[in-house]
Amino acid sequence: MRRKLVAGNWKMHGSLSENEALLSGLLAGMADVKAGVAVCVPFPYLAQVQSRLQGTPIAWGAQNVSQEAKGAFTGEVCASMLKDFSCAYVIVGHSERRAIYGETDGLVADKFAAVQAAGMTPIFCVGETLAEREAGVTQDVVSRQMDAVIAKCGVASLARAVVAYEPVWAIGTGVTASPEQAQAVHAFIRAKVRALDAGVAEGLVIQYGGSMKPNNAVELLGQPDIDGGLIGGAALNVDDFLAICRAG
Ligand code: PGA
């Protein structure tokens, strides 16, 4: 039985005082949450979440990482630095990084490898744009994105990773994939992995991301192949995020 994982992706939001209010609100409401819960925060706040969340049921992580181990890469942050702050998770390949910062499938695979080499779990994002969905190539796109990681790290690496299916057209738009649309892609992802390794496929946690809110979380998380959520906007509100966590 896969345990559901609900992860907040704070993106470029927060301040020391806002974070403190959010974290203390979340901690106060965790008693009846069965799902695993994590928050992925901006780099400067890792020390804050580490000291606030250590010893609590909420894990933490980052939203990006360098593919390099160390060196003259001004402005970059490497995986061992994230490990220093006891990050459990690192998001790699988010569509905003692919679209705005030009991250390619190959670069995302390198980042995935760097996260695992440092002993953390990548939350590996895949998903199609609206144009790709309308062109009927959703499965091809998701397959290509997954193949880059499988080619570099092997299918067994997915036993130590989380996959997040995030249709780009649903992110931050308020337009959610229907439970049927999401389930279809999740089932496709699992079947693709199953064809290579049935055991890895059964254990693989596949999150849905894209305008998951309290009013659609129960139905989405009730689908057989949806094992959690990667939550953007709703992760910034204590009540909304807790409601989604409780749906898991
Ligand atoms: P959203 O973001 O929940 O605001 O759509 C999800 C994500 O980008 O991970």
Side-chain angles (χ1 to χ4, degrees), residues 7-9 11 91 94-96 125 164 166-167 170-175 208-213 230-235:
N9 172 12
K11 308 195 180 186
I91 298 172
H94 190 279
S95 67
E96 286 153 17
C125 301
E166 297 207 305
I171 295 176
T173 59
V175 180
Y208 169 80
S211 299
M212 192 186 276
K213 308 285 180 195
L230 184 56
I231 319 299

Side-chain angles (χ1 to χ4, degrees), residues 128-138 141 168-169:
E128 81 288 1
T129 63
L130 183 58
E132 289 164 340
R133 173 161 285 262
E134 288 175 344
V137 295
T138 296
V141 169
V168 178
W169 47 273

Side-chain angles (χ1 to χ4, degrees), residues 87-170:
C87 286
Y89 299 101
V90 183
I91 298 172
V92 298
H94 190 279
S95 67
E96 286 153 17
R97 298 220 53 91
R98 292 178 190 264
I100 305 170
Y101 301 101
E103 294 196 6
T104 61
D105 293 335
L107 177 63
V108 173
D110 289 346
K111 291 185 174 198
F112 180 107
V115 170
Q116 287 199 332
M120 299 174 292
T121 300
I123 297 179
F124 166 47
C125 301
V126 298
E128 81 288 1
T129 63
L130 183 58
E132 289 164 340
R133 173 161 285 262
E134 288 175 344
V137 295
T138 296
Q139 293 190 353
D140 302 322
V141 169
V142 169
S143 212
R144 187 201 73 219
Q145 291 168 334
M146 295 201 56
D147 283 341
V149 162
I150 293 169
K152 179 167 179 76
C153 304
V155 68
S157 70
L158 293 174
R160 294 175 289 118
V162 171
V163 173
Y165 168 59
E166 297 207 305
V168 178
W169 47 273

Side-chain angles (χ1 to χ4, degrees), residues 28 36 62 85 114 162 164 178 198 201 232 245:
F85 290 92
V162 171
S178 70
C245 293

